[in-house]
């Protein structure tokens, strides 16, 4: 669902290009994890704000929002944030989030339709600046540690 990447951020790219490859391999995961940490919090806030918790008041989906490990691809590195695992009824959390975000048409088997509320888009928009700040802070700290 939410995917953070380091390519495409021009200022950060220029800074990273000036560093040696070993240092880049150390800094990039720290930056991605810092940004993903912000995104996890924003997802959780949005889930609570839209009342996507069970009728018993449990917060299975809130607790299930986590970040993946850093993945390296040919065009950069990435990390994803979404609800992982299943709830107490063995329903996939990511599938529930998808339906709550996008909605679902009614079926002929008697299930009602669900109007999507775009809670993920809301979380991503709310987190955009904070993610950039967290990633920049992680970069600055890592560079300062190497110099000091």
């Amino acid at each position: 669902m939410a995917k953070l990447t380091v390519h495409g951020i021009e200022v950060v790219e220029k800074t990273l290009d000036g560093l040696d490859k070993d240092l880049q391999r150390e800094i990039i995961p720290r930056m991605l994890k810092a940004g993903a940490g912000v995104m996890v919090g924003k997802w959780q806030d949005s889930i609570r704000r839209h009342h996507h918790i069970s009728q018993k008041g449990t917060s299975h989906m809130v607790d299930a929002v986590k970040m993946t490990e850093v993945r390296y691809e040919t065009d950069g590195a990435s990390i994803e944030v979404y609800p992982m695992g299943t709830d107490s009824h063995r329903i996939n959390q990511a599938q529930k989030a998808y339906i709550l975000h996008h909605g679902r048409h009614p079926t002929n088997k008697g299930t009602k339709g669900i109007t999507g509320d775009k809670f993920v888009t809301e979380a991503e928009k709310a987190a955009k600046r904070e993610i950039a700040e967290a990633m920049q802070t992680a970069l600055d700290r890592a560079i300062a540690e190497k110099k000091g």
Side-chain angles (χ1 to χ4, degrees), residues 41-88:
K42 294 298 180 179
W43 261 75
Q44 291 170 336
D45 293 346
S46 189
I47 289 168
R48 286 185 192 101
R49 189 171 25 267
H50 288 276
H51 306 289
H52 295 318
I53 56 175
S54 75
Q55 293 175 348
K56 295 179 183 176
T58 59
S59 56
H60 293 293
M61 189 181 302
V62 172
D63 298 337
V65 177
K66 295 181 177 43
M67 65 181 91
T68 63
E69 292 296 318
V70 176
R71 293 188 180 115
Y72 295 94
E73 298 147 11
T74 56
D75 63 342
S78 65
I79 195 166
E80 294 179 349
V81 175
Y82 59 91
M84 298 182 191
T86 58
D87 65 10
S88 58

Side-chain angles (χ1 to χ4, degrees), residues 3-140:
K3 185 173 184 174
L4 306 174
T5 60
V6 294
H7 68 282
I9 305 173
E10 292 80 16
V11 175
V12 174
E13 271 190 319
K14 287 179 185 176
T15 304
L16 289 173
D17 285 343
L19 303 174
D20 65 46
K21 297 295 180 194
D22 289 335
L23 189 54
Q24 285 183 23
R25 280 190 280 277
E26 183 181 328
I27 291 174
I28 289 171
R30 290 170 65 174
M31 291 174 61
L32 288 172
K33 288 177 183 177
V38 171
M39 192 71 239
V40 167
K42 294 298 180 179
W43 261 75
Q44 291 170 336
D45 293 346
S46 189
I47 289 168
R48 286 185 192 101
R49 189 171 25 267
H50 288 276
H51 306 289
H52 295 318
I53 56 175
S54 75
Q55 293 175 348
K56 295 179 183 176
T58 59
S59 56
H60 293 293
M61 189 181 302
V62 172
D63 298 337
V65 177
K66 295 181 177 43
M67 65 181 91
T68 63
E69 292 296 318
V70 176
R71 293 188 180 115
Y72 295 94
E73 298 147 11
T74 56
D75 63 342
S78 65
I79 195 166
E80 294 179 349
V81 175
Y82 59 91
M84 298 182 191
T86 58
D87 65 10
S88 58
H89 301 287
R90 296 186 180 156
I91 298 171
N92 186 293
Q93 296 285 10
Q95 288 176 333
K96 285 191 332 188
Y98 181 89
I99 291 169
L100 292 169
H101 178 75
H102 293 287
R104 178 183 71 196
H105 291 290
T107 66
N108 59 1
K109 295 180 182 173
T111 60
K112 295 181 180 179
I114 296 173
T115 303
D117 59 18
K118 308 297 184 209
F119 77 98
V120 176
T121 302
E122 176 187 297
E124 289 174 351
K125 286 180 182 177
K128 195 171 188 175
R129 183 169 5 112
E130 288 180 49
I131 288 171
E133 290 171 0
M135 291 176 76
Q136 184 65 51
T137 300
L139 175 61
D140 294 342

